Amino acid sequence: MSRKLLPGLPTTVPVTAVTLDNERMVTITLDAKINMEPGQFVMLWIPGIDEKPFSVLKPDPLTISIACIGPFTNKLRALKPGDKLGYRGPYGKGFKITGKKVLIVGGGCGLASVAHLATVCSGQGIETHVLAAFKTKTEAFHLETLEKAGCIMHPCTDDGSLGFKGYAAALVAELLQSNTFDQVYACGPEMMLVTTRTVLDEAKVPYQFSLERYMKCGIGICDQCSMNGQLVCQDGPVFDQTQIVKLTELGKFRRLVTGEKVSAITAPSC
Amino acid sequence: MADLSVNLCGIKLRNPTILASGVLGVSGDTMKRVYDIGAGAITLKSITNEARKGHPGPVMLATDHYFMNAVGLSGQGVEGVKDEVKILKDAGVPVIASVFAASFEECGDIAARFESYGVDAIELNISCPNLSAGEKFGVTIGTSCDLTAQNTAAVKKKTSIPLIVKLSPNVTDIVPIAKAAVDAGADMIAAVNTFGPGLKIDIEAARPVLSNKLGGVSGPGILPLALAIIWRLRQAIEVPIIAMGGITKYEDVIEMMMAGADAVAIGTGVYYSGIAIFRELNIGLSDWLDSHGYQSISEIKGLAQKA
């Protein structure tokens, strides 16, 4: 065997805390710590129920912020301290930290995927701007935590109830008028990524996006997460602009549990 | 450089390494990538008429020595997979379509549909162990000589491309089942599917890890078991054998070929060595054959049987 094997079994530990961030988001802390790069992910196993991929909010103690959007995530939300939860990972390629001034864009629950990156960047003395985009004020979360970590916050909502009124891409364009970012990082709804990408391509700013696809194994076997032959679980989930230009499926279609292709715009539920 | 090409019932492969069914067999683009990196042919993930979700997670687990899965035959259905096959055939990739169905008649129809897509061969999966209650395909067929013969004949009747029958090792004696398949029209035999069932319990959760509880066992630990089956099959049947089960390095391929295999398939090996395993195996094979004075890989076929 020529390489270090990816973790192939869950480690099952007690949940130590379950915090409701708002109506939609829950943060779960496990009695575990892992070594990981920002942007990598873990598979979470509710014993006897199912197993799904989630990005990591904090590796020590292992903390995950989850949008409760389907049967599995609602079962996660219902966990109590002391309940057992399995995790395996970390998996995939994380964000490459580069530059002296960066913009980190998190759309909806996608903010949870880039919050660790923002904390690490800020901790390294990088001028870290965070664009946190939500539909409305009541869906906002983690803003104070990131501000305390030294990030410069740029909240934005579709309805203007908090911060900039409008979509993330419009605020990115506005921020680019008065700032020069060495790198832009983003995670969020696929349409947000597509529109943000157009703005960044026009401004010729380098970027890295964390992408999401249905995933069964996390270890490069099931092929469910393929985008143009790239496995989001191993080749991603973070891709840079030179890779994203080849991912023509972005914004077009994704695969269901069966492998069937459907529009990428319809939000997945889990 | 030694010639690695093999000929399977008229299908010429540039080398004997085939992507096994069930691993990276969903996306045409992924499978083309596997071919581009070095595989000689690609086997699609097993497909039936309708789309299937398979089992909830975890559907697989891995350790240093063995791998276990109970995916439950998820798949997009024969209609959905048409575009994936087109990507492969447009790129000139030799494609094997793995099929199963609830009835023999339907199985033949699905195979005929794949033939119309331009695939190079059909693999009849009568060996998947991860069925739900009441499902009468997969290993339900492959543990019976009669059912094996009937299913094989039903597919053979509706297709004209080579037919591979993939066998389960979980039988008292695999030889009569292989003979039943060959007598009913199988042009080739693929062996073996996963061993088992196996079980892995998470002691902290106090329950099986796989949602299906039981799963099929593959990975490096099964290599000697699979090899012995290839050895016995070679002594009993004349048709080409595609050998699989635990191959992770080029020496394993040589052992399988020396036992009498005509080609090999790699599935779980992708976990142990990554997609690049196909390139690495071919480099290893080529170097080994050169350094041992062989002109062609066909020269080592069945060599150990003559000892």
Side-chain angles (χ1 to χ4, degrees), chain B:
Chain B
M1 262 213 346
D3 178 12
L4 293 184
S5 70
V6 295
N7 191 312
L8 299 176
C9 298
I11 307 163
K12 194 163 163 36
L13 308 189
R14 60 187 179 177
N15 68 61
T17 64
I18 301 171
L19 177 70
S21 184
V23 171
L24 298 177
V26 176
S27 151
D29 288 326
T30 309
M31 290 183 276
K32 181 176 177 299
R33 178 180 174 191
V34 172
Y35 179 76
D36 289 343
I37 214 160
I42 296 298
T43 315
L44 305 176
K45 185 159 166 51
S46 293
I47 287 287
T48 192
N49 255 326
E50 69 278 8
R52 287 169 58 96
K53 286 184 176 175
H55 299 305
V59 293
M60 50 187 89
L61 60 86
T63 73
D64 288 1
H65 308 292
Y66 68 86
F67 196 96
M68 207 185 296
N69 91 84
V71 174
L73 291 168
S74 62
Q76 51 186 321
V78 68
E79 176 62 33
V81 84
K82 186 177 181 178
D83 293 343
E84 318 294 347
V85 174
K86 186 170 188 302
I87 290 169
L88 295 170
K89 290 319 299 176
D90 285 353
V93 181
V95 176
I96 301 166
S98 175
V99 301
F100 70 98
S103 81
F104 300 150
E105 182 80 11
E106 192 184 342
C107 208
D109 291 340
I110 297 163
R113 190 80 185 280
F114 271 116
E115 184 167 355
S116 77
Y117 293 172
V119 303
D120 298 272
I122 300 295
E123 178 179 278
L124 176 58
N125 177 358
I126 54 167
S127 44
C128 177
N130 303 315
L131 307 173
S132 296
E135 290 184 334
K136 292 193 168 49
F137 37 77
V139 76
T140 317
I141 311 291
T143 44
S144 152
C145 288
D146 283 350
L147 296 176
T148 295
Q150 288 173 41
N151 203 349
T152 304
V155 174
K156 190 65 192 170
K157 200 173 80 183
K158 296 217 170 139
T159 50
S160 57
I161 51 177
L163 173 59
I164 304 158
V165 175
K166 182 168 176 179
L167 302 181
S168 168
N170 307 310
V171 291
T172 311
D173 187 357
I174 199 170
V175 168
I177 293 171
K179 283 183 170 168
V182 172
D183 290 345
D187 300 295
M188 290 180 254
I189 293 295
V192 291
N193 207 314
T194 50
F195 280 84
L199 175 63
K200 174 70 183 170
I201 289 173
D202 182 300
I203 60 173
E204 298 304 324
R207 65 160 59 235
V209 173
L210 295 177
S211 74
N212 190 52
K213 299 180 178 69
L214 303 177
V217 181
S218 58
I222 73 163
L223 180 76
L225 304 171
L227 188 62
I229 287 171
I230 301 308
W231 176 266
R232 292 185 57 233
L233 286 174
R234 185 74 288 161
Q235 293 170 352
I237 57 171
E238 300 289 322
V239 301
I241 298 172
I242 300 170
M244 65 198 81
I247 295 172
T248 57
K249 46 192 197 298
Y250 79 87
E251 293 94 328
D252 304 339
V253 178
I254 295 173
E255 284 196 64
M256 287 291 202
M257 305 282 289
M258 283 187 172
D262 295 80
V264 295
I266 287 88
T268 307
V270 171
Y271 167 74
Y272 290 95
S273 300
I275 295 178
I277 187 173
F278 291 95
R279 183 175 58 218
E280 289 158 11
L281 290 177
N282 286 309
I283 292 169
L285 285 174
S286 183
D287 288 351
W288 190 90
L289 291 169
D290 286 346
S291 67
H292 290 72
Y294 293 106
Q295 308 295 310
S296 154
I297 195 156
S298 58
E299 291 169 43
I300 65 166
K301 182 188 152 185
L303 210 54
Q305 296 273 6
K306 295 166 189 150

Side-chain angles (χ1 to χ4, degrees), chain A residues 34-53:
Chain A
I34 61 170
N35 291 316
M36 60 169 287
E37 305 168 17
Q40 287 189 296
F41 69 96
V42 295
M43 300 293 292
L44 286 188
W45 176 42
I46 308 179
I49 304 292
D50 206 341
E51 189 188 40
K52 304 277 180 193

Side-chain angles (χ1 to χ4, degrees), chain A residues 156-229:
Chain A
C156 107
T157 48
D158 296 358
D159 62 5
S161 54
L162 178 70
F164 178 87
K165 181 180 179 180
Y167 292 133
L171 181 51
V172 170
E174 191 178 290
L175 290 171
L176 286 172
Q177 301 288 323
S178 49
N179 293 275
T180 303
F181 296 110
D182 299 320
Q183 190 82 197
V184 175
Y185 304 91
C187 184
E190 197 129 325
M191 275 323 289
M192 182 200 94
L193 294 177
V194 169
T195 50
T196 300
R197 178 188 166 198
T198 306
V199 170
L200 295 172
D201 283 339
E202 277 170 13
K204 297 194 165 49
V205 181
Y207 53 90
Q208 299 170 40
F209 289 175
S210 176
L211 306 182
E212 183 181 15
R213 281 296 179 269
Y214 188 88
M215 219 174 260
K216 286 184 183 173
C217 74
I219 54 175
I221 294 294
C222 77
D223 202 20
Q224 295 287 330
C225 65
S226 175
M227 290 180 82
N228 299 95

